[in-house]
Amino acid sequence: MCGIFGIITRDEQQLGPLLIDAGRRLSYRGYDSVGCATIHRDGKIDLRKDAGKVDEVANRLGFSEMTGSRGILQLRWATFGAPSQVNSQPHLDSDGDMVGAHNGNVVNNVELRQQFIAEGMIVRSTNDGESCVHAVERYVDRGMDPIEAIRHAYQDLAGDYSFVIGRVGEEKLYAFKKGSGLVAGLLDGGAVISSDLPSILPLTRRIVRIEDGEIVTLTPDGITIHGVADGQIIQREPELVQETMEAAQKGGYPHFMLKEIHEQPVVAGELLHLLDASPDVNPIIEKISQARNVYLIGCGTSYHACLAGSVYFSRIARRVTIPVLAPQFIAQYAPAVGPRDVGIFVSQSGETKDVLNAIEAGKQRGMGIFSLVNVVGSTMTRISERSLPLACGYEISVPATKTFTNQVLSFLYLAYRLAGLDTASLAVIPDLMVKTLEAVSHQVQALEPDFHRWNDFYCLGYGLTFPIALEGALKLKEITYSHCEGMLSTEFKHGPLSAVQDGYPIVFVAGREDVPLIVSGINEVTCRGALAIAIGEADPRLDANAQKVVVMPDSGDSNIAALLSVLPLQLLSYHLSIARGFDPDFPRNLSKTLTVD
Ligand code: M6R
């Protein structure tokens, strides 16, 4: 997830070391490139940037020597444009007298770049941060002052983003927020602005939180806020913040996992915007529709997303696809694939060795290679013909949460497009995610005593909720250190039923359409003493048959309901992990990226 930082001071000074430190503090968000710009009173802008890590790029390019009275630092997490020197931020405007950087996604970047080029501007990169600079330049060149120019640029820039910008010839920085985080801080004789609190806290505890639709002007005397809608000044007193750095990095949550669970609505919304604007969606859809066989390939959580994707493709687009674990693809299918087949490889990290091996095996046989990957610039994105970003930002906790929901959402979106359906109806998902998290949080916490004495349980689903049950079971195993098996609910009677004893907890994930079948499964186990916990939308049949019901809000759509039903399972595993005294972010024996066979 990108991060921006800007500072203005009364006197010219060596800003480089301060900017490097801010970069280090922002780096927990994840990034692939780093850049700094300083602006001097004499009109000179010093811009240094490249792909790489903060300390390495800073040493190589001599960031610490950079001086000025204003400075901007940016850490880039690639979505538009590969990680490279030219796509790194900050960016200059056409004449080189304005410099800026952004955080977030400008989803009409491709169209805007074409417009800027047609208007005679100098566009140097394919990165959407540069579009923010040119969008302001466009109106400054027409004679508007920077506030007016930003108000107009806001009309042109679609998406969720924040940016910071500085011009030569005036002792000010400007920043704007729409969707992405932005916090200002007051210094003695200066001011700072940043994507998040942790990068500001060592410099000041006098903080002003910026809201969406606000333009901030930073001067050595403090900050002024204008509303983008009417240009009127907004008064806001600074607050004195007491949080520690670590608490601030976790955004007020006790663990990254919980923070990432609650980020799901936002990243889902961003993903839908990105997919709407992506030039890669149509070519991928075309390949899927023309292919002989389509394989959906991943490991762990990413494989569960493939299973859900396969159900979506069949049910929504009538397209049969084959979900398969990456090593099994090599053993079973690779010998039989050829140029008429397509593989969609799914990964959070883009570096999982098992998946890279499967890509290599498919490539050798001429198969089409496409991918859904969170880390843009990772090996998988580089060796795929086309890759769709998952747009989740950095996922720090080892248990995958927001990347899973965006993988499943990507498949749902592709299935809609393949079926020729209007994807606008998916726009309800972020809001439903918010409602689901609100509705289920306390309900799942209350279940802890039911699991307390057990180190062995089951999580069952059917149809679309089968992959969700597998994912829930993996989360429970991963961070509670208990054995939890995920299974098709109808399979339980074919053997595992013998495990049932008094109070034995079994979670049933009930899809909207599958309640009668789930109710049968519930009765098969409860009559033998099991404790049945149903997760589903409000349904009197679940209330009448299960001992415990976690009620989710009504989604009106079984495809969407299944995606939402993973949220209570993520929260359940989180709370059980905490109750057992474990650290859910970094479970024993596990690593976030598995680069070994
Ligand atoms: O980076 P990937 O998505 O390729 O990783 C695959 C699995 O190792 C990963 O999903 C793992 O199962 C998760 N940590 C589970 O939460």
Side-chain angles (χ1 to χ4, degrees), residues 299-303 346-352 355 380 398-401 407 471 474-475 478 590-594:
C299 292
T301 288
S302 299
Y303 166 65
V346 182
S347 175
Q348 181 283 131
S349 61
E351 301 292 350
T352 301
V355 184
M380 267 177 73
V398 170
T401 52
Q407 288 166 348
E471 174 57 11
L474 178 62
K475 288 289 93 87
E478 198 175 11
L590 298 181
S591 151
K592 186 75 183 160
T593 306
L594 282 164

Side-chain angles (χ1 to χ4, degrees), residues 550-572:
V550 175
V551 183
M552 303 197 318
D554 196 3
S555 66
D557 180 311
S558 58
N559 294 317
I560 294 175
L563 167 63
L564 298 174
S565 61
V566 79
L567 304 185
L569 290 167
Q570 293 169 345
L571 285 169
L572 177 65

Side-chain angles (χ1 to χ4, degrees), residues 177-429:
K177 168 168 162 52
K178 183 194 170 220
S180 289
L182 200 64
V183 185
L186 304 179
L187 310 174
D188 292 332
V192 285
I193 191 100
S194 176
S195 301
D196 67 16
L197 199 52
S199 63
I200 292 185
L201 283 184
L203 299 171
T204 178
R205 298 216 157 231
R206 283 185 294 147
I207 299 298
V208 181
R209 296 179 201 264
I210 309 304
E211 307 277 342
D212 278 347
E214 293 181 348
I215 303 166
V216 190
T217 307
L218 295 95
T219 70
D221 296 320
I223 67 162
T224 314
I225 305 174
H226 289 85
V228 78
D230 55 11
Q232 295 300 305
I233 288 191
I234 297 167
Q235 301 291 351
R236 187 167 307 135
E237 289 302 311
E239 55 181 295
L240 210 54
V241 169
Q242 306 295 351
E243 276 169 86
T244 62
M245 265 273 285
E246 203 204 325
Q249 283 181 334
K250 289 177 181 162
Y253 291 98
H255 295 93
F256 285 110
M257 182 181 179
L258 198 57
K259 175 173 177 252
E260 287 159 8
I261 287 173
H262 283 89
E263 281 172 353
Q264 289 175 110
V266 171
V267 298
E270 288 181 0
L271 177 72
L272 289 171
H273 285 143
L274 271 180
L275 292 175
D276 282 342
S278 169
D280 292 312
V281 168
N282 277 338
I284 292 177
I285 294 294
E286 210 167 297
K287 289 280 181 183
I288 294 174
S289 59
Q290 289 167 1
R292 179 179 62 169
N293 287 316
V294 177
Y295 299 88
L296 312 181
I297 302 159
C299 292
T301 288
S302 299
Y303 166 65
H304 297 151
C306 294
L307 289 170
S310 183
V311 183
Y312 282 148
F313 279 129
S314 296
R315 285 170 40 147
I316 299 169
R318 308 283 181 260
R319 168 80 228 199
V320 172
T321 55
I322 303 163
V324 57
L325 286 161
Q328 187 65 11
F329 170 79
I330 299 172
Q332 182 177 348
Y333 296 113
V337 302
R340 289 169 55 214
D341 299 313
V342 159
I344 301 183
F345 295 84
V346 182
S347 175
Q348 181 283 131
S349 61
E351 301 292 350
T352 301
K353 183 73 172 7
D354 286 341
V355 184
L356 294 178
N357 291 344
I359 292 180
E360 186 50 36
K363 264 198 168 171
Q364 275 175 12
R365 307 275 313 172
M367 186 171 88
I369 308 290
F370 300 92
S371 59
L372 308 180
V373 181
N374 195 38
V375 182
V376 177
S378 60
T379 307
M380 267 177 73
T381 61
R382 285 187 274 111
I383 63 178
S384 303
E385 282 168 48
R386 288 177 190 273
S387 184
L388 294 177
L390 295 171
C392 294
Y394 206 45
E395 192 177 64
I396 292 174
S397 71
V398 170
T401 52
K402 57 179 177 171
T403 52
F404 174 73
T405 44
N406 269 12
Q407 288 166 348
V408 176
L409 182 55
S410 299
F411 277 128
L412 180 57
Y413 185 96
L414 290 175
Y416 261 56
R417 289 286 290 267
L418 191 60
L421 298 174
D422 185 359
T423 53
S425 56
L426 303 178
V428 297
I429 290 175

Side-chain angles (χ1 to χ4, degrees), residues 48-63:
R48 309 181 191 198
K49 57 183 188 172
D50 206 350
K53 294 295 169 198
V54 172
D55 286 310
E56 184 267 313
V57 176
N59 279 339
R60 184 157 44 86
L61 303 183
F63 283 5

Side-chain angles (χ1 to χ4, degrees), residues 62-78:
F63 283 5
S64 59
E65 305 152 4
M66 295 173 78
T67 58
S69 58
R70 286 172 287 164
I72 295 174
L73 165 127
Q74 204 263 9
L75 298 189
R76 174 167 188 248
W77 170 271

